[in-house]
C-alpha cells in the first residue's frame, strides 16, 4: 500500500509541475509576448475579434491582472476543459482540433507500437534462448534497423512503394477524392484509412522493432544464468516451461517498464513520419502549431502529451508493482 501511495503522490506533484510550466512558458518569453503576437497577427491581415482576444488573454494573460490571478483563471479554464481558441484555425477550439487529430495517432502509432513491442520481445526471447545458433543471427540485422533514421526509411517507402510501384498512396490518412466531406463512420472509409496507414505503420514497426529485439535478447542471456533458471533445469522441468515461466517472464520486466514510457509517447505521434506522409495526427498538428506560432494550440498539444505520458507511466508503475514484488518491497 505504501508503494502505491508514494506513486500517486509523486505523479500528482509531477502533474501540477507540468501544468504550471505549461502556463508559464508563454509568459517567460523575452519582451512583451502578448503585444508581439498581436502585432504579428495584425501584419498578416488578421482581425482581433472579442473571441480571439479572450483566447489571447487565456494564453498570455490580461494586462491588468496579476500573474497569480492569471494562474487561478488558467486552472479554472483547464478544469472546465477550455484550452482556448486556435488563432490560425479561428474560431475552432483547441480541444476540437486535438480531438480530431488524436484518434488518427492513437490508432496508427498505438497499434504499430504494440505490434513492434510484441514482435521484438518474442524475437529477442527466441534469439537469447537459442544464442549461438541460426536464430541468433538476426541480431546484426536488428542492429542495422535500429540505426536507420525514421525519415530516411519513410522516404524510401514513399519513393518505391508509393511513387514507383504505385502500391500505396503517397500522402494523407484517407482518400479525399472518395470522401470530400471528411471522415465518416462507414466500412468504406475504414478500408481507405487502413490502406493509407499501411506504409506509415510499417515504417514505425521496422524502425523500432530492433531496439526491442536487442534489449530482450540481452536480458534473456543474462536471465538464463540466474540461479532460479539453473534450479528449474535441475528439477527436470520441460524446456518450454522454463522458457516461458522462468526465463522470458523475468527477462521481459525491463522491456515492460520501457514499453510504458513508449506507450505514453504514442500520443505525441511520430512527428517525422506524420510529416513525411502528411498524416493527420497529433504530430503534424504540433508541427503546424509551432510553424504558425499558434501558442494556444501548442499549449494544448503539449499538455495532452504530458498528461498522457504521466498517465501511462503511472499505470505501468502499478502493473510493475503487481508483477514484480521486489518493486514494492524496495519502497
Amino acid at each position: 500500500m505504501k508503494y502505491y501511495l508514494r506513486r500517486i503522490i509523486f505523479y500528482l506533484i509531477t502533474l501540477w509541475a507540468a501544468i504550471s510550466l505549461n502556463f508559464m512558458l508563454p509568459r517567460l518569453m523575452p519582451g512583451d509576448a502578448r503585444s508581439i503576437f498581436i502585432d504579428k497577427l495584425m501584419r498578416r491581415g488578421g482581425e482581433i475579434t472579442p473571441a480571439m482576444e479572450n483566447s489571447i488573454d487565456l494564453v498570455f494573460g490580461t494586462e491588468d491582472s496579476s500573474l497569480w490571478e492569471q494562474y487561478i483563471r488558467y486552472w479554472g479554464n483547464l478544469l472546465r476543459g477550455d484550452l482556448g481558441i486556435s488563432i490560425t484555425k479561428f474560431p475552432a477550439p483547441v480541444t476540437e482540433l486535438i480531438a480530431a487529430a488524436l484518434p488518427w495517432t492513437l490508432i496508427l502509432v498505438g497499434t504499430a507500437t504494440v505490434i513492434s513491442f510484441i514482435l521484438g520481445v518474442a524475437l529477442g526471447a527466441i534469439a537469447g534462448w537459442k544464442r549461438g545458433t541460426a536464430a541468433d543471427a538476426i541480431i546484426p540485422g536488428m542492429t542495422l534497423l535500429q540505426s536507420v533514421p525514421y525519415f530516411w526509411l519513410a522516404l524510401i517507402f514513399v519513393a518505391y512503394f508509393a511513387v514507383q510501384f504505385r502500391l500505396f498512396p503517397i500522402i494523407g490518412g484517407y482518400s479525399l477524392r472518395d470522401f470530400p466531406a471528411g471522415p465518416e463512420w462507414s466500412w468504406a472509409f475504414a478500408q481507405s484509412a487502413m490502406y493509407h496507414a499501411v506504409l506509415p505503420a510499417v515504417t514505425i514497426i521496422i524502425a523500432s522493432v530492433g531496439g526491442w529485439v536487442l534489449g530482450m535478447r540481452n536480458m534473456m542471456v543474462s536471465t538464463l544464468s540466474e540461479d532460479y533458471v539453473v534450479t528449474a533445469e535441475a528439477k527436470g522441468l520441460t524446456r518450454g516451461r522454463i522458457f516461458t515461466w522462468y526465463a522470458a517472464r523475468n527477462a521481459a520486466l525491463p522491456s515492460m517498464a520501457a514499453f510504458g514510457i513508449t506507450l505514453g509517447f504514442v500520443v505525441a505521434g511520430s512527428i517525422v513520419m506524420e510529416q513525411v506522409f502528411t498524416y493527420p495526427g497529433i504530430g503534424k498538428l504540433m508541427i503546424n502549431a509551432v510553424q504558425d506560432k499558434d501558442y494556444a494550440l501548442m499549449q494544448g498539444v503539449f499538455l495532452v502529451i504530458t498528461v498522457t505520458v504521466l498517465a501511462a507511466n503511472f499505470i505501468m508503475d502499478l502493473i510493475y508493482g503487481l508483477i514484480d514484488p521486489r518493486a514494492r518491497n524496495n519502497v
Side-chain angles (χ1 to χ4, degrees):
M1 188 63 185
K2 185 178 179 182
Y3 168 81
Y4 298 111
L5 183 60
R6 289 188 62 175
R7 293 288 90 191
I8 292 173
I9 294 175
F10 169 78
Y11 280 105
L12 286 177
I13 295 175
T14 307
L15 178 61
W16 166 79
I19 294 176
S20 299
L21 181 62
N22 197 50
F23 163 79
M24 288 299 298
L25 282 177
R27 293 160 176 82
L28 292 176
M29 296 175 61
D32 187 354
R34 188 178 191 274
S35 300
I36 294 173
F37 180 78
I38 292 176
D39 291 342
K40 287 183 178 179
L41 189 65
M42 296 296 291
R43 284 199 298 268
R44 292 169 55 182
E47 181 182 355
I48 306 298
T49 63
M52 188 176 291
E53 189 172 356
N54 289 334
S55 180
I56 294 173
D57 291 341
L58 178 63
V59 177
F60 298 101
T62 57
E63 297 178 346
D64 56 348
S65 61
S66 66
L67 189 63
W68 176 251
E69 291 174 338
Q70 296 174 29
Y71 184 65
I72 297 298
R73 191 181 302 114
Y74 178 78
W75 269 98
N77 291 325
L78 193 63
L79 293 176
R80 291 195 302 268
D82 184 6
L83 298 178
I85 305 295
S86 172
I87 302 299
T88 55
K89 299 182 183 297
F90 184 83
V94 170
T95 50
E96 288 186 6
L97 296 175
I98 294 176
L102 193 57
W104 294 96
T105 295
L106 288 178
I107 294 174
L108 172 66
V109 185
T111 303
T113 301
V114 171
I115 293 174
S116 175
F117 171 76
I118 295 174
L119 184 63
V121 168
L123 291 176
I126 295 173
W129 179 255
K130 298 183 177 181
R131 62 189 184 281
T133 65
D136 203 17
I138 64 171
I139 298 303
M142 294 297 106
T143 305
L144 177 63
L145 289 179
Q146 189 183 17
S147 62
V148 174
Y150 262 61
F151 70 91
W152 187 75
L153 193 61
L155 290 174
I156 288 179
F157 284 165
V158 169
Y160 282 95
F161 296 105
V163 177
Q164 185 171 346
F165 300 118
R166 300 181 182 275
L167 297 176
F168 297 99
I170 300 175
I171 59 173
Y174 59 94
S175 175
L176 294 176
R177 180 182 302 175
D178 297 333
F179 305 96
E184 62 180 46
W185 292 100
S186 66
W187 174 242
F189 178 80
Q191 287 180 312
S192 177
M194 287 187 288
Y195 178 54
H196 281 72
V198 171
L199 281 186
V202 171
T203 301
I204 296 173
I205 292 173
I206 291 180
S208 60
V209 71
W212 297 117
V213 172
L214 292 174
M216 184 62 183
R217 188 263 181 192
N218 293 335
M219 283 304 304
M220 193 72 174
V221 172
S222 177
T223 303
L224 289 175
S225 61
E226 295 290 340
D227 293 339
Y228 55 84
V229 176
V230 177
T231 303
E233 293 174 345
K235 287 181 177 180
L237 298 180
T238 62
R239 290 182 59 80
R241 183 175 177 81
I242 295 173
F243 171 77
T244 305
W245 292 100
Y246 289 84
R249 182 182 180 183
N250 289 282
L253 290 177
S255 296
M256 288 289 293
F259 178 67
I261 299 174
T262 305
L263 203 59
F265 281 102
V266 162
V267 175
S270 179
I271 297 177
V272 174
M273 182 276 298
E274 292 183 10
Q275 191 71 6
V276 171
F277 290 100
T278 318
Y279 199 79
I282 287 291
K284 189 173 186 302
L285 185 67
M286 182 165 59
I287 286 291
N288 293 339
V290 172
Q291 290 175 341
D292 297 332
K293 294 181 174 58
D294 192 338
Y295 293 103
L297 186 55
M298 277 193 286
Q299 273 189 307
V301 172
F302 292 155
L303 183 62
V304 169
I305 293 172
T306 301
V307 171
T308 307
V309 170
L310 291 176
N313 279 272
F314 174 66
I315 293 172
M316 289 308 302
D317 270 356
L318 298 183
I319 296 175
Y320 202 81
L322 291 175
I323 63 178
D324 189 1
R326 295 172 296 181
R328 302 193 303 268
N329 296 334
N330 289 334
V331 175

